[in-house]
């Protein structure tokens, strides 16, 4: 009964490939997020999605795109992977409009070789 | 400058000592300030939070203080234990947004 689950946990792929990371939450939250955590541990917001409103961090390359088939899912698609995309990607969810705790998934460690 | 600044980046203490981590934020409309703990290889998890209508909150060995005028908030851990070793992140919900913006993290090491 994991609250926020993302798959896969590890992803190793070659430069130029296209890959997806899936995220699901069973908390009934209305807002979901994707964060990128680099080697220095900085948690950088990439996207947030709330009631069909998508907010994009302007620094995120357009090779990254979120897809939300429903309120419980926010998947991350990455095209033409680059070495610099290697990082840990965290999905999270919260009751966004109520300013409450964000619950994180276990993270996906992406390694581009 | 960054919206949420956090200091220090690393903090090394002896078991039993206190540890203090400080954060400042830029947007005076911010009203929610959570703190997360991330153990090695794990996900960030909330340990304590505070809202703008409160100046201090305590939960056993951890406490958070908020100074809205100065726009800074701090995490205090007393009687530190080796299992407190982790990376701690402050965050703020910036005004006009519902997105948690994180500080750069503090790596706390508690030596037995």
């Amino acid at each position: 009964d994991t609250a926020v689950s993302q798959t896969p946990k590890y992803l190793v792929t070659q430069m130029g490939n296209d890959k997806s990371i899936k995220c699901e939450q069973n908390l009934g939250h209305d807002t979901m997020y994707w964060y990128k955590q680099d080697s220095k541990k900085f948690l950088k917001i990439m996207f947030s999605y709330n009631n069909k409103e998508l907010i994009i961090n302007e620094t995120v390359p357009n090779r990254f795109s979120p897809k939300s088939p429903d309120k419980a899912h926010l998947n991350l698609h990455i095209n033409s992977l680059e070495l610099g995309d290697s990082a840990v990607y965290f999905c999270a969810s919260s009751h966004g409009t109520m300013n409450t705790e964000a619950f994180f998934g276990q993270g996906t460690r992406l390694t581009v070789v | 400058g960054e919206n949420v600044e956090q200091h220090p980046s690393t903090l090394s203490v002896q078991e039993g000592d206190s540890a203090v981590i400080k954060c400042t934020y830029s947007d005076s409309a911010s009203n929610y300030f959570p703190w997360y703990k991330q153990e090695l290889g794990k996900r960030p998890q909330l340990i304590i939070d505070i809202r703008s209508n409160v100046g201090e909150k305590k939960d056993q060995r951890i406490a958070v203080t908020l100074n809205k005028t100065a726009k800074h908030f701090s995490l205090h851990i007393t009687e530190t234990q080796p299992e407190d070793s982790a990376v701690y992140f402050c965050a703020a919900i910036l005004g006009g947004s519902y997105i948690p913006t994180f500080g750069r993290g503090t790596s706390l090491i508690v030596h037995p």
Side-chain angles (χ1 to χ4, degrees):
Chain A
D1 58 347
T2 304
V4 182
S5 61
Q6 55 183 106
T7 56
K9 189 171 181 181
Y10 300 97
L11 182 55
V12 181
T13 187
Q14 290 187 325
M15 283 175 53
N17 284 351
D18 303 337
K19 290 293 179 184
S20 295
I21 306 172
K22 295 185 176 180
C23 179
E24 176 182 5
Q25 55 96 4
N26 62 5
L27 297 167
H29 287 161
D30 60 2
T31 305
M32 297 185 72
Y33 313 87
W34 278 104
Y35 284 87
K36 178 181 181 180
Q37 187 170 47
D38 60 23
S39 58
K40 295 184 179 180
K41 303 297 185 184
F42 181 41
L43 278 165
K44 174 184 166 185
I45 184 71
M46 300 177 69
F47 305 100
S48 68
Y49 191 78
N50 171 280
N51 290 331
K52 302 190 189 305
E53 179 191 15
L54 176 65
I55 297 178
I56 304 171
N57 184 324
E58 61 187 15
T59 66
V60 174
N62 58 15
R63 298 180 293 103
F64 291 78
S65 58
K67 297 283 194 306
S68 181
D70 54 57
K71 282 180 62 174
H73 296 83
L74 185 66
N75 304 323
L76 182 65
H77 298 270
I78 317 170
N79 294 328
S80 303
L81 278 156
E82 301 178 357
L83 292 177
D85 297 333
S86 296
V88 180
Y89 292 84
F90 283 99
C91 175
S93 71
S94 74
H95 283 300
T97 52
M98 294 173 62
N99 284 340
T100 57
E101 171 188 1
F103 288 80
F104 283 80
Q106 73 269 35
T108 296
R109 181 174 293 278
L110 171 66
T111 304
V112 183
V113 297
Chain B
E2 295 179 354
N3 290 321
V4 180
E5 294 195 4
Q6 181 171 347
H7 299 280
S9 57
T10 58
L11 181 57
S12 184
V13 300
Q14 288 296 128
E15 182 176 1
D17 288 350
S18 294
V20 180
I21 302 170
K22 299 182 179 181
C23 288
T24 60
Y25 59 98
S26 57
D27 189 341
S28 57
S30 299
N31 57 19
Y32 177 61
F33 307 92
W35 285 88
Y36 290 81
K37 176 183 180 182
Q38 186 180 24
E39 297 177 348
L40 188 64
K42 301 286 182 65
R43 72 190 79 193
Q45 291 190 292
L46 183 81
I47 54 171
I48 195 167
D49 56 10
I50 192 167
R51 296 189 181 275
S52 57
N53 58 347
V54 175
E56 183 174 359
K57 185 176 178 181
K58 191 172 182 180
D59 183 3
Q60 299 183 341
R61 296 187 297 107
I62 60 173
V64 57
T65 58
L66 171 65
N67 183 325
K68 282 208 70 179
T69 303
K71 292 189 284 188
H72 66 70
F73 56 113
S74 300
L75 178 71
H76 305 253
I77 306 174
T78 59
E79 300 173 33
T80 54
Q81 301 168 2
E83 51 265 39
D84 294 331
S85 297
V87 179
Y88 291 81
F89 293 94
C90 65
I93 306 295
L94 303 179
S97 161
Y98 51 78
I99 301 171
T101 298
F102 286 83
R104 287 189 168 268
T106 296
S107 179
L108 174 65
I109 302 168
V110 181
H111 299 280

